[in-house]
Amino acid sequence: MTNSTTQVTKPTSAYKLASIVALLLGSVSYSIGLINADLQLNEKGYFLIILLYGLFAFVSVQKSVRDRIEGIPVSKVYNIICWASVAIVLLLMTIGLFNAPLALSEKGFFAMSFVLSLFAAVTVQKNIRDNLLQEEVAELEQIS
């Protein structure tokens, strides 16, 4: 369901490709850095789960915000859980990096590849929603 005032623009192929490349670049570089880091296996697992949890949390926030904008009902509890997850994952990453036995440059690398991955995941999700909405509008125009 879309509001009559919602304007739908389909993202360009270049923008979609750039978003996907950014997601892959951030996630793969984070993973390679994690493999090569001088950390115990349980520490590597912690940082891997933080990345996966972060991707899920940020995509969930994007979905709940977008649903509200488009007039799709979103429960208050779900919305609170989404935002709480974002805060928790950022806090856990900060605590993990603060306590990690890594050089400051390595900590910066992990922080930046983490942020790149999260931002790109939101952008990829946005592009998917824009494409679906554009297809819905095109179908409605064909019916009319």
Side-chain angles (χ1 to χ4, degrees):
M1 308 279 299
T2 61
N3 298 337
S4 58
T5 59
T6 303
Q7 196 172 23
V8 181
T9 54
K10 189 174 184 178
T12 64
S13 296
Y15 184 68
K16 289 188 285 189
L17 182 62
S19 301
I20 292 169
V21 167
L23 178 59
L24 291 175
L25 183 65
S27 299
V28 169
S29 62
Y30 184 94
S31 299
I32 290 171
L34 202 54
I35 290 168
N36 292 321
D38 190 23
L39 296 171
Q40 293 180 9
L41 190 57
N42 63 333
E43 294 170 319
K44 290 181 180 185
Y46 173 85
F47 284 108
L48 177 63
I49 294 303
I50 292 299
L51 176 65
L52 297 174
Y53 179 36
L55 292 172
F56 179 78
F58 274 69
V59 167
S60 293
V61 163
Q62 194 279 340
K63 180 193 178 327
S64 66
V65 168
R66 183 73 179 257
D67 283 352
R68 284 187 159 192
I69 289 171
E70 293 178 2
I72 300 171
V74 178
S75 74
K76 195 173 229 174
V77 172
Y78 180 75
N79 199 34
I80 290 169
I81 289 171
C82 289
W83 283 105
S85 290
V86 165
I88 290 166
V89 79
L90 292 174
L91 180 66
L92 288 174
M93 184 63 169
T94 302
I95 292 169
L97 286 177
F98 182 77
N99 291 313
L102 299 170
L104 195 55
S105 60
E106 291 175 301
K107 291 179 182 185
F109 166 79
F110 279 111
M112 295 313 297
S113 59
F114 181 72
V115 169
L116 175 63
S117 298
L118 299 179
F119 176 77
V122 169
T123 307
V124 168
Q125 169 67 9
K126 178 201 171 301
N127 291 341
I128 290 169
R129 287 288 290 260
D130 288 347
N131 280 338
L132 291 174
L133 195 56
Q134 181 68 31
E135 289 172 10
E136 277 184 32
V137 168
E139 285 177 16
L140 290 174
E141 287 175 354
Q142 286 178 352
I143 293 172
S144 301

